[in-house]
């Protein structure tokens, strides 16, 4: 079982939500396998129910499963860690303070674990079950990255971005991730209109690996399913930008 996301040219993999097992399979095919499919622990009453159902998503995506919190809910942190220990998915979403627990329970270093850090005007860390109730700790981006690395984190999840609302802060985060050799996961308000600009910023900065999260903007409100045709559009943009970046690097 492959524990690492299938990055396109080792640079980019998409992260989108699946509303059903068939939806997950359709998404996986639309992205030609370069995707991790999000399923939220918040949608399940027990660990056992989540594990039983998520195994079905693993089966149709070659383990391209992203175990999610649910709108970044810090109260889901412990459940995400427990479920991920059993499932051994390719991708785990965590609040900043939950990263160490997830890595320890996984017992391996291949699965991607992100740590959620929110835009504050300055980078703010206060995303755990208790810390989210307190004032955000403002720390330099490089320090936030180093703390995540100490805990076994793989990438910096920047959420909620509000699309390009925090563009300058996002540029600074991308630059810092590139300098520290750390991965980046832009999340929140990303859609078909701003996706290209957001991904281009991260590629131009030289970020090692990028997993953009595109959620509600590509979900059919009437069915609750992610539209595979929109995933195909995102995938086409991804290929074009990564290929172009490769050409520039080669020159």
């Amino acid at each position: 079982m492959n524990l690492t996301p299938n990055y396109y040219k080792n640079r980019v993999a998409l992260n989108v939500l699946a509303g059903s097992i068939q939806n997950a399979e359709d998404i996986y095919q639309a992205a030609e396998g370069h995707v991790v499919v999000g399923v939220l622990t918040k949608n399940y009453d027990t660990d056992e129910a989540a594990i039983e159902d998520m195994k079905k998503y693993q089966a149709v995506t070659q383990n391209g499963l992203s175990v999610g919190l649910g709108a970044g809910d810090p109260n889901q942190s412990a459940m995400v860690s427990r479920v991920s220990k059993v499932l051994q998915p390719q991708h785990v979403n965590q609040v900043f303070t939950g990263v160490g627990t997830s890595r320890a329970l996984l017992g391996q270093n291949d699965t991607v674990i992100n740590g959620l850090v929110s835009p504050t005007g300055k980078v703010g860390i206060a995303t755990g079950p208790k810390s989210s109730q307190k004032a955000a700790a403002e720390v330099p981006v490089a320090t936030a990255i180093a703390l995540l690395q100490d805990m076994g984190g793989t990438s910096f999840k920047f959420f909620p971005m509000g699309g390009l609302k925090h563009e300058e802060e996002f540029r600074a985060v991308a630059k810092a991730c590139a300098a520290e050799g750390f991965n980046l996961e832009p999340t929140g308000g990303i859609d078909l209109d701003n996706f290209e600009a957001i991904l281009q910023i991260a590629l131009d900065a030289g970020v090692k690996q990028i997993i953009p999260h595109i959620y509600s903007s590509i979900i059919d409100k009437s069915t609750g399913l992610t539209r595979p045709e929109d995933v195909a559009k995102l995938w086409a943009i991804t290929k074009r930008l990564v290929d172009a970046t490769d050409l520039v690097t080669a020159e």
Side-chain angles (χ1 to χ4, degrees), residues 28-126:
Y28 188 77
Q29 292 174 356
E32 297 180 5
H34 297 284
V35 64
V36 285
V37 177
V39 184
L40 309 177
T41 57
K42 197 169 186 175
N43 293 338
Y44 300 92
D45 293 330
T46 65
D47 291 11
E48 292 73 20
I51 290 165
E52 182 181 359
D53 200 40
M54 289 186 191
K55 283 181 177 178
K56 299 172 185 175
Y57 287 86
Q58 287 179 299
V60 298
T61 61
Q62 297 187 43
N63 198 34
L65 173 69
S66 172
V67 178
L69 296 155
D73 185 354
N75 295 311
Q76 293 299 121
S77 178
M79 185 176 181
V80 164
S81 290
R82 295 191 304 266
V83 167
S84 297
K85 174 187 178 182
V86 177
L87 292 172
Q88 297 287 307
Q90 290 181 359
H91 188 269
V92 174
N93 292 275
Q94 260 301 0
V95 294
F96 195 91
T97 56
V99 170
T101 299
S102 282
R103 181 59 74 196
L105 289 179
L106 282 166
Q108 40 86 0
N109 293 317
D110 296 324
T111 293
V112 169
I113 306 175
N114 66 36
L116 194 160
V117 183
S118 300
T120 59
K122 299 177 182 178
V123 173
I125 299 173

Side-chain angles (χ1 to χ4, degrees), residues 212-248:
H213 295 228
I214 311 92
Y215 286 171
S216 59
S217 67
I218 59 171
I219 293 176
D220 186 321
K221 303 299 185 290
S222 63
T223 64
L225 303 177
T226 290
R227 293 183 290 268
E229 62 270 24
D230 285 351
V231 175
K233 292 174 185 175
L234 294 166
W235 169 230
I237 293 169
T238 299
K239 282 196 293 187
R240 175 165 53 81
L241 295 188
V242 173
D243 289 347
T245 300
D246 260 13
L247 286 173
V248 170

Side-chain angles (χ1 to χ4, degrees), residues 119-237:
T120 59
K122 299 177 182 178
V123 173
I125 299 173
T127 61
K130 289 188 176 180
S131 59
S132 61
Q133 305 303 312
K134 305 296 183 183
E138 295 179 352
V139 302
V141 181
T143 302
I145 291 170
L147 288 167
L148 285 170
Q149 290 172 324
D150 284 344
M151 294 186 288
T154 313
S155 52
F156 195 108
K157 181 178 181 179
F158 200 47
F159 170 84
M161 279 179 51
L164 287 164
K165 180 180 177 182
H166 300 279
E167 181 177 349
E168 290 309 309
E169 195 171 349
F170 177 58
R171 287 181 181 275
V173 167
K175 183 177 179 181
C177 285
E180 300 297 328
F182 205 58
N183 298 346
L184 178 58
E185 302 189 24
T187 314
I190 303 178
D191 56 31
L192 288 168
D193 293 325
N194 60 30
F195 172 74
E196 181 168 344
I198 289 168
L199 180 55
Q200 191 68 65
I201 288 169
L203 288 170
D204 287 347
V207 178
K208 181 181 176 183
Q209 291 172 324
I210 308 151
I211 302 181
H213 295 228
I214 311 92
Y215 286 171
S216 59
S217 67
I218 59 171
I219 293 176
D220 186 321
K221 303 299 185 290
S222 63
T223 64
L225 303 177
T226 290
R227 293 183 290 268
E229 62 270 24
D230 285 351
V231 175
K233 292 174 185 175
L234 294 166
W235 169 230
I237 293 169

